[in-house]
Amino acid sequence: MQYKALLFALVVLASVIVGLLAGIVQFADGGQVVDSVRSGGVAFGVSMGLGMATITWLKTS
């Protein structure tokens, strides 16, 4: 059970980092604050989905 929780925490933390970096890069490139938040949120959602899909794939194989 701890293994599953650790994998989930790893995916969440990595997704947060990816989302923050995407937002910071967008803002540093001269983007508006709203656009930066939007791109960070999209990056978080996509990386969270990919991470959870990868965990599911690893568990079934």
Side-chain angles (χ1 to χ4, degrees):
M1 188 64 181
Q2 274 185 326
Y3 182 67
K4 291 179 184 178
L6 182 63
L7 282 176
F8 181 72
L10 180 67
V11 167
V12 169
L13 289 174
S15 298
V16 167
I17 290 170
V18 167
L20 285 173
L21 286 176
I24 289 169
V25 167
Q26 175 77 19
F27 186 71
D29 198 31
Q32 299 291 328
V33 174
V34 176
D35 293 334
S36 301
V37 171
R38 185 180 306 134
S39 68
V42 168
F44 171 77
V46 169
S47 62
M48 187 73 182
L50 287 174
M52 294 308 292
T54 302
I55 288 176
T56 304
W57 179 74
L58 286 173
K59 289 290 185 183
T60 58
S61 62

Short mmCIF file of all heavy atoms in Angstrom, two decimals:
data_model
loop_
_atom_site.label_atom_id
_atom_site.label_comp_id
_atom_site.label_asym_id
_atom_site.label_seq_id
_atom_site.Cartn_x
_atom_site.Cartn_y
_atom_site.Cartn_z
N MET A 1 0.82 -1.20 0.00
CA MET A 1 0.00 0.00 0.00
C MET A 1 0.86 1.26 0.00
O MET A 1 0.52 2.23 -0.64
CB MET A 1 -0.93 -0.05 1.20
CG MET A 1 -1.96 1.03 1.22
SD MET A 1 -3.06 0.81 -0.18
CE MET A 1 -4.12 2.18 0.03
N GLN A 2 1.96 1.24 0.73
CA GLN A 2 2.84 2.41 0.76
C GLN A 2 3.45 2.68 -0.62
O GLN A 2 3.69 3.83 -0.97
CB GLN A 2 3.96 2.21 1.77
CG GLN A 2 3.59 2.62 3.16
CD GLN A 2 4.80 2.52 4.06
OE1 GLN A 2 5.64 1.64 3.89
NE2 GLN A 2 4.89 3.41 5.02
N TYR A 3 3.67 1.63 -1.38
CA TYR A 3 4.27 1.77 -2.71
C TYR A 3 3.34 2.57 -3.62
O TYR A 3 3.79 3.44 -4.35
CB TYR A 3 4.54 0.37 -3.28
CG TYR A 3 5.19 0.37 -4.62
CD1 TYR A 3 6.49 0.83 -4.79
CD2 TYR A 3 4.52 -0.09 -5.74
CE1 TYR A 3 7.10 0.83 -6.02
CE2 TYR A 3 5.11 -0.09 -6.98
CZ TYR A 3 6.41 0.36 -7.12
OH TYR A 3 7.00 0.38 -8.34
N LYS A 4 2.04 2.28 -3.56
CA LYS A 4 1.07 3.00 -4.37
C LYS A 4 1.00 4.46 -3.95
O LYS A 4 0.93 5.36 -4.81
CB LYS A 4 -0.31 2.37 -4.26
CG LYS A 4 -0.41 1.02 -4.91
CD LYS A 4 -1.80 0.44 -4.75
CE LYS A 4 -1.89 -0.95 -5.31
NZ LYS A 4 -3.21 -1.53 -5.11
N ALA A 5 1.01 4.71 -2.66
CA ALA A 5 0.96 6.09 -2.18
C ALA A 5 2.22 6.85 -2.57
O ALA A 5 2.14 8.04 -2.92
CB ALA A 5 0.78 6.10 -0.66
N LEU A 6 3.34 6.20 -2.54
CA LEU A 6 4.59 6.84 -2.94
C LEU A 6 4.59 7.18 -4.43
O LEU A 6 5.01 8.27 -4.82
CB LEU A 6 5.77 5.93 -2.60
CG LEU A 6 7.16 6.48 -2.92
CD1 LEU A 6 7.42 7.74 -2.09
CD2 LEU A 6 8.22 5.44 -2.64
N LEU A 7 4.12 6.28 -5.25
CA LEU A 7 4.03 6.55 -6.69
C LEU A 7 3.07 7.70 -6.97
O LEU A 7 3.36 8.57 -7.79
CB LEU A 7 3.58 5.30 -7.45
CG LEU A 7 4.63 4.23 -7.68
CD1 LEU A 7 4.00 3.02 -8.36
CD2 LEU A 7 5.76 4.77 -8.52
N PHE A 8 1.93 7.72 -6.28
CA PHE A 8 0.97 8.79 -6.47
C PHE A 8 1.57 10.13 -6.04
O PHE A 8 1.43 11.13 -6.75
CB PHE A 8 -0.31 8.50 -5.68
CG PHE A 8 -1.36 9.56 -5.85
CD1 PHE A 8 -2.04 9.68 -7.04
CD2 PHE A 8 -1.63 10.44 -4.83
CE1 PHE A 8 -3.01 10.66 -7.21
CE2 PHE A 8 -2.60 11.42 -4.98
CZ PHE A 8 -3.29 11.53 -6.18
N ALA A 9 2.26 10.16 -4.91
CA ALA A 9 2.88 11.40 -4.43
C ALA A 9 3.95 11.86 -5.41
O ALA A 9 4.09 13.07 -5.66
CB ALA A 9 3.47 11.19 -3.04
N LEU A 10 4.70 10.94 -5.96
CA LEU A 10 5.73 11.29 -6.94
C LEU A 10 5.13 11.91 -8.19
O LEU A 10 5.63 12.92 -8.70
CB LEU A 10 6.55 10.04 -7.31
CG LEU A 10 7.66 10.25 -8.31
CD1 LEU A 10 8.76 11.11 -7.70
CD2 LEU A 10 8.21 8.92 -8.77
N VAL A 11 4.03 11.34 -8.67
CA VAL A 11 3.36 11.88 -9.86
C VAL A 11 2.81 13.28 -9.58
O VAL A 11 2.95 14.20 -10.38
CB VAL A 11 2.25 10.93 -10.34
CG1 VAL A 11 1.35 11.59 -11.36
CG2 VAL A 11 2.86 9.67 -10.93
N VAL A 12 2.20 13.45 -8.41
CA VAL A 12 1.63 14.76 -8.06
C VAL A 12 2.73 15.81 -7.95
O VAL A 12 2.61 16.92 -8.50
CB VAL A 12 0.80 14.67 -6.76
CG1 VAL A 12 0.43 16.05 -6.26
CG2 VAL A 12 -0.44 13.83 -6.98
N LEU A 13 3.80 15.49 -7.27
CA LEU A 13 4.89 16.45 -7.11
C LEU A 13 5.55 16.79 -8.45
O LEU A 13 5.84 17.96 -8.72
CB LEU A 13 5.93 15.92 -6.12
CG LEU A 13 5.49 15.89 -4.66
CD1 LEU A 13 6.55 15.21 -3.81
CD2 LEU A 13 5.23 17.30 -4.16
N ALA A 14 5.78 15.80 -9.27
CA ALA A 14 6.37 16.05 -10.58
C ALA A 14 5.43 16.90 -11.44
O ALA A 14 5.88 17.81 -12.15
CB ALA A 14 6.69 14.74 -11.28
N SER A 15 4.14 16.65 -11.34
CA SER A 15 3.17 17.43 -12.12
C SER A 15 3.11 18.88 -11.65
O SER A 15 2.99 19.80 -12.47
CB SER A 15 1.78 16.79 -12.02
OG SER A 15 1.79 15.50 -12.55
N VAL A 16 3.20 19.08 -10.36
CA VAL A 16 3.21 20.45 -9.83
C VAL A 16 4.45 21.20 -10.33
O VAL A 16 4.37 22.36 -10.74
CB VAL A 16 3.15 20.44 -8.28
CG1 VAL A 16 3.49 21.80 -7.71
CG2 VAL A 16 1.78 19.99 -7.82
N ILE A 17 5.58 20.53 -10.32
CA ILE A 17 6.82 21.16 -10.79
C ILE A 17 6.71 21.50 -12.28
O ILE A 17 7.08 22.59 -12.70
CB ILE A 17 8.03 20.26 -10.50
CG1 ILE A 17 8.29 20.22 -8.99
CG2 ILE A 17 9.27 20.75 -11.24
CD1 ILE A 17 9.30 19.19 -8.57
N VAL A 18 6.18 20.59 -13.07
CA VAL A 18 6.02 20.84 -14.50
C VAL A 18 5.06 22.00 -14.73
O VAL A 18 5.32 22.89 -15.56
CB VAL A 18 5.53 19.56 -15.22
CG1 VAL A 18 5.06 19.87 -16.63
CG2 VAL A 18 6.62 18.51 -15.25
N GLY A 19 3.96 22.04 -13.99
CA GLY A 19 3.01 23.13 -14.13
C GLY A 19 3.59 24.48 -13.74
O GLY A 19 3.39 25.48 -14.42
N LEU A 20 4.33 24.50 -12.64
CA LEU A 20 4.96 25.75 -12.22
C LEU A 20 6.00 26.23 -13.22
O LEU A 20 6.06 27.42 -13.55
CB LEU A 20 5.61 25.56 -10.84
CG LEU A 20 4.66 25.51 -9.65
CD1 LEU A 20 5.44 25.15 -8.40
CD2 LEU A 20 3.95 26.83 -9.47
N LEU A 21 6.80 25.32 -13.71
CA LEU A 21 7.81 25.70 -14.71
C LEU A 21 7.17 26.21 -15.99
O LEU A 21 7.65 27.19 -16.58
CB LEU A 21 8.73 24.52 -15.01
CG LEU A 21 9.75 24.19 -13.93
CD1 LEU A 21 10.54 22.94 -14.32
CD2 LEU A 21 10.69 25.34 -13.69
N ALA A 22 6.09 25.58 -16.42
CA ALA A 22 5.41 26.04 -17.63
C ALA A 22 4.86 27.44 -17.44
O ALA A 22 4.97 28.30 -18.33
CB ALA A 22 4.30 25.07 -18.02
N GLY A 23 4.27 27.71 -16.29
CA GLY A 23 3.75 29.04 -16.01
C GLY A 23 4.84 30.08 -15.91
O GLY A 23 4.70 31.20 -16.42
N ILE A 24 5.92 29.74 -15.26
CA ILE A 24 7.04 30.69 -15.11
C ILE A 24 7.67 31.00 -16.47
O ILE A 24 7.97 32.16 -16.77
CB ILE A 24 8.09 30.13 -14.13
CG1 ILE A 24 7.53 30.15 -12.71
CG2 ILE A 24 9.39 30.91 -14.20
CD1 ILE A 24 8.38 29.40 -11.70
N VAL A 25 7.85 29.98 -17.29
CA VAL A 25 8.43 30.20 -18.61
C VAL A 25 7.51 31.06 -19.46
O VAL A 25 7.96 31.97 -20.17
CB VAL A 25 8.74 28.84 -19.30
CG1 VAL A 25 9.04 29.02 -20.77
CG2 VAL A 25 9.89 28.15 -18.60
N GLN A 26 6.21 30.79 -19.39
CA GLN A 26 5.25 31.59 -20.15
C GLN A 26 5.28 33.05 -19.70
O GLN A 26 5.27 33.96 -20.52
CB GLN A 26 3.84 31.01 -19.97
CG GLN A 26 2.73 31.80 -20.61
CD GLN A 26 2.67 31.60 -22.10
OE1 GLN A 26 3.20 30.65 -22.63
NE2 GLN A 26 2.01 32.51 -22.78
N PHE A 27 5.34 33.29 -18.41
CA PHE A 27 5.37 34.65 -17.88
C PHE A 27 6.68 35.34 -18.21
O PHE A 27 6.71 36.52 -18.55
CB PHE A 27 5.12 34.65 -16.37
CG PHE A 27 4.99 36.02 -15.79
CD1 PHE A 27 3.87 36.78 -16.04
CD2 PHE A 27 5.99 36.55 -15.00
CE1 PHE A 27 3.73 38.05 -15.51
CE2 PHE A 27 5.86 37.81 -14.46
CZ PHE A 27 4.73 38.57 -14.71
N ALA A 28 7.79 34.62 -18.10
CA ALA A 28 9.10 35.21 -18.39
C ALA A 28 9.25 35.55 -19.87
O ALA A 28 10.03 36.43 -20.24
CB ALA A 28 10.20 34.24 -17.97
N ASP A 29 8.49 34.85 -20.69
CA ASP A 29 8.53 35.11 -22.13
C ASP A 29 7.68 36.31 -22.52
O ASP A 29 7.55 36.62 -23.70
CB ASP A 29 8.08 33.86 -22.89
CG ASP A 29 8.48 33.86 -24.34
OD1 ASP A 29 9.53 34.44 -24.66
OD2 ASP A 29 7.73 33.29 -25.15
N GLY A 30 7.12 36.99 -21.55
CA GLY A 30 6.35 38.19 -21.82
C GLY A 30 4.86 37.97 -21.89
O GLY A 30 4.13 38.83 -22.37
N GLY A 31 4.40 36.83 -21.41
CA GLY A 31 2.98 36.54 -21.45
C GLY A 31 2.22 37.22 -20.32
O GLY A 31 2.81 37.70 -19.34
N GLN A 32 0.93 37.29 -20.47
CA GLN A 32 0.07 37.84 -19.44
C GLN A 32 -0.05 36.85 -18.28
O GLN A 32 0.20 35.66 -18.44
CB GLN A 32 -1.32 38.12 -20.01
CG GLN A 32 -1.33 39.12 -21.14
CD GLN A 32 -0.99 40.53 -20.65
OE1 GLN A 32 -1.32 40.88 -19.52
NE2 GLN A 32 -0.34 41.29 -21.49
N VAL A 33 -0.44 37.36 -17.12
CA VAL A 33 -0.54 36.51 -15.94
C VAL A 33 -1.60 35.43 -16.15
O VAL A 33 -1.40 34.26 -15.80
CB VAL A 33 -0.87 37.37 -14.69
CG1 VAL A 33 -1.14 36.49 -13.48
CG2 VAL A 33 0.26 38.33 -14.40
N VAL A 34 -2.74 35.81 -16.72
CA VAL A 34 -3.82 34.84 -16.93
C VAL A 34 -3.38 33.73 -17.88
O VAL A 34 -3.67 32.56 -17.66
CB VAL A 34 -5.08 35.56 -17.46
CG1 VAL A 34 -6.18 34.57 -17.78
CG2 VAL A 34 -5.57 36.59 -16.46
N ASP A 35 -2.67 34.09 -18.93
CA ASP A 35 -2.17 33.09 -19.86
C ASP A 35 -1.14 32.18 -19.21
O ASP A 35 -1.09 30.98 -19.49
CB ASP A 35 -1.55 33.75 -21.09
CG ASP A 35 -2.58 34.48 -21.94
OD1 ASP A 35 -3.76 34.10 -21.88
OD2 ASP A 35 -2.18 35.43 -22.65
N SER A 36 -0.32 32.73 -18.34
CA SER A 36 0.68 31.93 -17.64
C SER A 36 0.03 30.92 -16.71
O SER A 36 0.43 29.76 -16.64
CB SER A 36 1.61 32.84 -16.84
OG SER A 36 2.26 33.75 -17.69
N VAL A 37 -1.00 31.36 -15.99
CA VAL A 37 -1.73 30.46 -15.10
C VAL A 37 -2.43 29.37 -15.91
O VAL A 37 -2.43 28.20 -15.53
CB VAL A 37 -2.73 31.24 -14.23
CG1 VAL A 37 -3.64 30.31 -13.45
CG2 VAL A 37 -1.99 32.18 -13.28
N ARG A 38 -2.99 29.76 -17.04
CA ARG A 38 -3.69 28.79 -17.89
C ARG A 38 -2.71 27.74 -18.43
O ARG A 38 -3.00 26.54 -18.40
CB ARG A 38 -4.38 29.51 -19.04
CG ARG A 38 -5.21 28.58 -19.90
CD ARG A 38 -5.89 29.30 -21.06
NE ARG A 38 -6.66 30.43 -20.56
CZ ARG A 38 -6.64 31.65 -21.10
NH1 ARG A 38 -5.88 31.89 -22.15
NH2 ARG A 38 -7.38 32.60 -20.61
N SER A 39 -1.57 28.17 -18.92
CA SER A 39 -0.61 27.21 -19.47
C SER A 39 -0.03 26.33 -18.37
O SER A 39 0.22 25.14 -18.59
CB SER A 39 0.50 27.92 -20.23
OG SER A 39 1.32 28.67 -19.35
N GLY A 40 0.17 26.88 -17.18
CA GLY A 40 0.63 26.06 -16.06
C GLY A 40 -0.40 25.02 -15.65
O GLY A 40 -0.07 23.88 -15.35
N GLY A 41 -1.66 25.43 -15.65
CA GLY A 41 -2.73 24.48 -15.31
C GLY A 41 -2.87 23.37 -16.33
O GLY A 41 -3.10 22.20 -15.98
N VAL A 42 -2.75 23.73 -17.60
CA VAL A 42 -2.83 22.72 -18.65
C VAL A 42 -1.65 21.76 -18.55
O VAL A 42 -1.82 20.54 -18.67
CB VAL A 42 -2.88 23.39 -20.04
CG1 VAL A 42 -2.67 22.38 -21.15
CG2 VAL A 42 -4.21 24.11 -20.22
N ALA A 43 -0.46 22.30 -18.31
CA ALA A 43 0.72 21.44 -18.18
C ALA A 43 0.58 20.51 -16.99
O ALA A 43 0.95 19.33 -17.05
CB ALA A 43 1.97 22.29 -18.05
N PHE A 44 0.03 21.03 -15.87
CA PHE A 44 -0.20 20.19 -14.70
C PHE A 44 -1.18 19.07 -15.03
O PHE A 44 -0.94 17.90 -14.71
CB PHE A 44 -0.74 21.02 -13.53
CG PHE A 44 -1.21 20.19 -12.38
CD1 PHE A 44 -0.30 19.62 -11.51
CD2 PHE A 44 -2.55 19.96 -12.16
CE1 PHE A 44 -0.72 18.85 -10.44
CE2 PHE A 44 -2.98 19.18 -11.11
CZ PHE A 44 -2.07 18.63 -10.25
N GLY A 45 -2.28 19.41 -15.67
CA GLY A 45 -3.28 18.38 -16.00
C GLY A 45 -2.76 17.32 -16.94
O GLY A 45 -3.01 16.12 -16.73
N VAL A 46 -2.02 17.75 -17.95
CA VAL A 46 -1.48 16.78 -18.91
C VAL A 46 -0.45 15.88 -18.26
O VAL A 46 -0.48 14.65 -18.43
CB VAL A 46 -0.89 17.52 -20.14
CG1 VAL A 46 -0.09 16.57 -21.01
CG2 VAL A 46 -2.00 18.17 -20.93
N SER A 47 0.45 16.46 -17.48
CA SER A 47 1.48 15.63 -16.84
C SER A 47 0.88 14.72 -15.77
O SER A 47 1.34 13.59 -15.59
CB SER A 47 2.59 16.49 -16.26
OG SER A 47 2.09 17.35 -15.27
N MET A 48 -0.17 15.18 -15.09
CA MET A 48 -0.85 14.32 -14.11
C MET A 48 -1.51 13.14 -14.82
O MET A 48 -1.42 12.00 -14.37
CB MET A 48 -1.88 15.16 -13.35
CG MET A 48 -2.53 14.45 -12.23
SD MET A 48 -1.39 14.28 -10.86
CE MET A 48 -2.41 13.38 -9.75
N GLY A 49 -2.17 13.41 -15.92
CA GLY A 49 -2.82 12.34 -16.69
C GLY A 49 -1.82 11.34 -17.24
O GLY A 49 -2.04 10.13 -17.17
N LEU A 50 -0.73 11.85 -17.78
CA LEU A 50 0.30 10.95 -18.30
C LEU A 50 0.95 10.13 -17.19
O LEU A 50 1.22 8.94 -17.37
CB LEU A 50 1.37 11.74 -19.05
CG LEU A 50 0.97 12.29 -20.41
CD1 LEU A 50 2.08 13.18 -20.95
CD2 LEU A 50 0.67 11.17 -21.37
N GLY A 51 1.18 10.76 -16.05
CA GLY A 51 1.77 10.03 -14.93
C GLY A 51 0.87 8.93 -14.40
O GLY A 51 1.30 7.81 -14.13
N MET A 52 -0.43 9.24 -14.27
CA MET A 52 -1.36 8.23 -13.78
C MET A 52 -1.54 7.11 -14.80
O MET A 52 -1.67 5.94 -14.43
CB MET A 52 -2.70 8.88 -13.44
CG MET A 52 -2.64 9.84 -12.27
SD MET A 52 -1.88 9.15 -10.79
CE MET A 52 -3.09 7.94 -10.31
N ALA A 53 -1.54 7.46 -16.08
CA ALA A 53 -1.63 6.42 -17.11
C ALA A 53 -0.40 5.53 -17.10
O ALA A 53 -0.51 4.31 -17.28
CB ALA A 53 -1.79 7.08 -18.48
N THR A 54 0.76 6.11 -16.85
CA THR A 54 1.98 5.33 -16.79
C THR A 54 1.96 4.38 -15.60
O THR A 54 2.35 3.21 -15.71
CB THR A 54 3.21 6.25 -16.70
OG1 THR A 54 3.21 7.12 -17.83
CG2 THR A 54 4.50 5.47 -16.65
N ILE A 55 1.50 4.88 -14.46
CA ILE A 55 1.40 4.01 -13.27
C ILE A 55 0.44 2.87 -13.53
O ILE A 55 0.72 1.72 -13.18
CB ILE A 55 0.98 4.83 -12.04
CG1 ILE A 55 2.13 5.72 -11.59
CG2 ILE A 55 0.55 3.92 -10.90
CD1 ILE A 55 1.78 6.64 -10.45
N THR A 56 -0.70 3.17 -14.14
CA THR A 56 -1.68 2.11 -14.46
C THR A 56 -1.09 1.10 -15.42
O THR A 56 -1.26 -0.11 -15.25
CB THR A 56 -2.95 2.74 -15.05
OG1 THR A 56 -3.45 3.70 -14.15
CG2 THR A 56 -4.00 1.69 -15.31
N TRP A 57 -0.37 1.59 -16.41
CA TRP A 57 0.26 0.68 -17.37
C TRP A 57 1.31 -0.20 -16.71
O TRP A 57 1.43 -1.38 -16.99
CB TRP A 57 0.87 1.48 -18.51
CG TRP A 57 1.56 0.64 -19.53
CD1 TRP A 57 0.99 -0.14 -20.46
CD2 TRP A 57 2.98 0.51 -19.67
NE1 TRP A 57 1.97 -0.76 -21.21
CE2 TRP A 57 3.19 -0.38 -20.75
CE3 TRP A 57 4.08 1.06 -19.02
CZ2 TRP A 57 4.46 -0.73 -21.17
CZ3 TRP A 57 5.33 0.70 -19.46
CH2 TRP A 57 5.51 -0.18 -20.51
N LEU A 58 2.10 0.38 -15.81
CA LEU A 58 3.13 -0.39 -15.11
C LEU A 58 2.51 -1.45 -14.21
O LEU A 58 3.05 -2.54 -14.05
CB LEU A 58 4.02 0.53 -14.28
CG LEU A 58 5.02 1.37 -15.07
CD1 LEU A 58 5.71 2.35 -14.13
CD2 LEU A 58 6.03 0.50 -15.76
N LYS A 59 1.38 -1.11 -13.59
CA LYS A 59 0.72 -2.07 -12.69
C LYS A 59 0.13 -3.26 -13.45
O LYS A 59 0.07 -4.35 -12.92
CB LYS A 59 -0.39 -1.37 -11.89
CG LYS A 59 0.14 -0.43 -10.85
CD LYS A 59 0.78 -1.20 -9.73
CE LYS A 59 1.21 -0.27 -8.63
NZ LYS A 59 1.88 -0.96 -7.57
N THR A 60 -0.36 -3.02 -14.69
CA THR A 60 -0.99 -4.10 -15.44
C THR A 60 0.01 -4.97 -16.18
O THR A 60 -0.31 -6.07 -16.58
CB THR A 60 -2.00 -3.53 -16.45
OG1 THR A 60 -1.35 -2.63 -17.34
CG2 THR A 60 -3.13 -2.81 -15.73
N SER A 61 1.23 -4.48 -16.38
CA SER A 61 2.20 -5.27 -17.14
C SER A 61 3.14 -6.04 -16.21
O SER A 61 3.11 -5.97 -15.05
CB SER A 61 3.01 -4.38 -18.07
OG SER A 61 3.76 -3.43 -17.33
#
